[in-house]
Amino acid sequence: MTQLSIIIPVYQVENYIRACLESIYRQDMKEDSFEVIVVNDGTKDRSMEVIQDIIKKHSNIIVINQENQGLSMARNNGMAKAKGEYILLVDSDDLLADKCLSPLIAEACRQKPDLVVADFQKMNDKDIEDTLLNNTLPVSLNTEEKSGWSLLLEDLNPRQCYVWRTIYRREFLVKNNIRFVPGIYYEDIPFTHECFLKADRCLRVHNLLYIYRIGHASITTAINTKSGKDLAITIAKTWALRNIDGLSTEIIQRICDNVFVSFSVLLYAIVHDVKKATDRKEILMHLKKVAPDLRFHNGLKQKIVYFLYRFIPITFIETRVLLTRIAQKKQ
């Protein structure tokens, strides 16, 4: 039986994909117990060429070739192909910590939780090299059982909805029809919230699973009209999760507060990153279209920002743009 499916979307990562795959095969797991699904999302560089020898060497690697459809669809298509009891989503410019997976998957298969949420560490290229040179075996697992709601309240940073730090039971995802919103950036935000809201039994593992590579270009470093609209869709999708049956008042308020974080990030990015007033207006109007019932009322700051957004959105944003430019000139 295949215990784990590891899904890796590949697009323009020729400098990183080999290290990513190599980290997967340093896990002390028998190859017949897991599969690696490499989704070639129409990459135009040498990403697939630099890992051909690894693909040929390991019989448990499956390659899906598709036209460029974006990260969401690459993950969705990989999950549709997956046969493992559990699913791990790995970004192709990151790595797994050495020898971390075997005990995690053994514990997951024993306890059958919906989710296993582990630790991650941010590292630059030099940190990663030093870590690989001074590799140490992990200590014994430090785990605690939680509900999905508890994870949302206690463990989820709304600015860090990283899907790769969680191992998902495939049956849980299929049963709840949880997938990534196609064609948008920031797809991790509604996906993570929905998983935490619908999961029953979960394991919070206080051990390092994932190395998040920092210090290189990212597809989400700046907002433009396209990504601004995508973040608006993400806000709307996450906001709609308040309507799931049976949520407590505390959970609904936390969803609202988390959405306000994304909302604030969008407003800040519109002011600082979007150069044209017409584009700023277009993003704002798109948000109002996709999330017409959006409202915030938890504390004075939320109430003031919501009032200005609700009744004078263009004036609100353009005033902030003007004040930002004045402040920059004084520096």
Side-chain angles (χ1 to χ4, degrees):
M1 178 181 178
T2 303
Q3 296 178 329
L4 178 68
S5 297
I6 302 174
I7 298 168
I8 312 173
V10 175
Y11 184 76
Q12 308 296 85
V13 284
E14 64 180 33
N15 293 328
Y16 307 107
I17 180 60
R18 186 177 185 88
C20 176
L21 266 180
E22 287 175 343
S23 76
I24 289 171
Y25 286 97
R26 291 196 298 269
Q27 293 304 314
D28 280 354
M29 291 185 67
K30 295 181 179 179
E31 291 197 14
D32 60 358
S33 69
F34 73 100
E35 62 181 2
V36 179
I37 302 176
V38 174
V39 184
N40 172 17
D41 190 32
T43 188
K44 299 174 183 177
D45 66 358
R46 298 181 61 253
S47 293
M48 297 305 297
E49 294 177 40
V50 300
I51 58 172
Q52 278 304 308
D53 61 320
I54 300 178
I55 293 173
K56 292 177 180 178
K57 180 179 179 181
H58 300 283
S59 61
N60 63 340
I61 297 182
I62 300 166
V63 176
I64 298 175
N65 294 302
Q66 62 183 42
E67 293 183 0
N68 180 240
Q69 300 178 55
L71 184 57
S72 292
M73 283 306 300
R75 286 170 170 169
N76 286 346
N77 291 338
M79 289 192 294
K81 185 77 171 178
K83 297 179 180 178
E85 184 175 359
Y86 283 87
I87 288 175
L88 175 62
L89 302 162
V90 175
D91 283 354
S92 49
D93 50 353
D94 297 333
L95 301 91
L96 299 182
D98 280 6
K99 299 179 175 63
C100 66
L101 261 185
S102 182
L104 284 180
I105 296 304
E107 190 68 11
C109 291
R110 185 179 72 83
Q111 295 203 40
K112 310 295 184 185
D114 293 326
L115 308 174
V116 179
V117 181
D119 289 343
F120 70 94
Q121 188 171 345
K122 295 181 179 181
M123 295 186 186
N124 59 31
D125 290 350
K126 185 178 185 306
D127 293 334
I128 290 172
E129 183 178 345
D130 292 344
T131 299
L132 295 179
L133 289 173
N134 299 284
N135 178 47
T136 58
L137 292 175
V139 296
S140 59
L141 288 183
N142 178 11
T143 67
E144 57 179 320
E145 185 173 325
K146 290 190 172 188
S147 67
W149 286 13
S150 294
L151 285 173
L152 183 74
L153 292 172
E154 299 168 8
D155 297 274
L156 180 61
N157 181 338
R159 293 178 180 270
Q160 297 181 342
C161 294
Y162 301 137
V163 299
W164 33 250
R165 66 177 301 190
T166 299
I167 300 171
Y168 307 86
R169 193 175 188 189
R170 184 166 61 91
E171 181 181 324
F172 162 76
L173 295 176
V174 172
K175 177 182 176 182
N176 290 282
N177 194 30
I178 301 176
R179 291 292 184 269
F180 291 95
V181 181
I184 67 168
Y185 299 135
Y186 316 106
E187 68 289 336
D188 290 13
I189 298 173
F191 185 92
T192 299
H193 278 81
E194 186 174 4
C195 285
F196 284 13
L197 289 168
K198 293 182 176 179
D200 292 324
R201 290 184 58 254
C202 307
L203 285 182
R204 177 65 177 95
V205 181
H206 301 280
N207 294 76
L208 181 62
L209 165 67
Y210 199 89
I211 298 173
Y212 175 25
R213 189 190 297 268
I214 60 174
H216 65 97
S218 169
I219 61 172
T220 57
T221 52
I223 292 283
N224 54 33
T225 305
K226 153 67 176 167
S227 58
K229 287 184 173 182
D230 286 352
L231 186 48
I233 293 171
T234 286
I235 289 169
K237 294 291 185 182
T238 310
W239 182 255
L241 294 173
R242 297 158 29 260
N243 299 318
I244 293 175
D245 291 338
L247 298 183
S248 70
T249 302
E250 184 181 19
I251 289 292
I252 292 173
Q253 186 57 61
R254 180 56 61 89
I255 296 171
C256 295
D257 289 343
N258 287 0
V259 171
F260 184 76
V261 172
S262 296
F263 175 77
S264 300
V265 168
L266 178 59
L267 294 187
Y268 181 89
I270 291 174
V271 169
H272 290 82
D273 294 340
V274 182
K275 304 304 180 184
K276 295 182 180 179
T278 53
D279 293 339
R280 293 192 288 268
K281 179 179 179 180
E282 186 176 347
I283 295 170
L284 278 176
M285 293 303 101
H286 190 69
L287 177 59
K288 285 183 171 290
K289 177 182 177 181
V290 297
D293 61 340
L294 192 66
R295 63 179 64 247
F296 305 105
H297 53 76
N298 187 22
L300 183 60
K301 178 181 178 181
Q302 286 193 17
K303 290 177 180 177
I304 292 173
V305 171
Y306 170 70
F307 177 87
L308 296 172
Y309 164 75
R310 174 73 173 81
F311 294 103
I312 51 170
I314 306 304
T315 302
F316 173 42
I317 287 297
E318 293 308 315
T319 300
R320 287 185 60 175
V321 170
L322 179 60
L323 292 174
T324 298
R325 289 175 178 173
I326 291 173
Q328 289 173 343
K329 288 181 180 180
K330 290 182 178 179
Q331 292 178 351

